Amino acid sequence: MTASARGGGPRVALLVARFNSMVTGQLERSARERLLEAGLGTESITALYVPGAWDLPQAAMTIADTDRYDVIIAIGCVIRGETAHFDYVAGHASDGLGRVALKVGIPIVFGVLTTDDADQAIARADPNGANKGAEFAEAALEMITLYESHGDDQES
């Protein structure tokens, strides 16, 4: 892993929605473990919390604007219910994070599970199963490398 533009190793923000915390907490733990396995130090990983997935886009924009991080992993979980609430929250999180990703100069990893039921969400957060948290961290590491190599090409 190469150095951050601010010096030292890459800095990662784990932006975590507290709603459905039994799922988002496990996703956060798995992402952190994978980042540490990749050689990032604990000081390079910062966890920040928001109430729910709806809040992820505005928080990601604010955090990106601080210029403290090389990547943001936005972690949330929206489970379908009996009303249209799922569609509004999941759609807003997806569209909003997509707009933020296109606007800011750092990668925003979409780590929001959208499932039909709690069992599906739990299975995707299981570190011994699908382990989506580790997948989100892998995506972040790949995007950091891509952005760094693109920046190097620009300097040549």
Side-chain angles (χ1 to χ4, degrees), residues 62-77:
T62 299
I63 292 163
D65 284 345
T66 68
D67 199 34
R68 294 182 191 158
Y69 303 99
D70 298 294
V71 65
I72 297 170
I73 303 173
I75 297 173
C77 177

Side-chain angles (χ1 to χ4, degrees), residues 3 8 10 20 33 36 38 41-42 61 88 110 125 134-135 137 143 154:
N20 290 321
E33 287 171 9
L36 293 170
T42 56
M61 178 69 82
Y88 296 121
F110 184 77
E135 287 183 28
M143 292 300 287
Q154 295 296 328

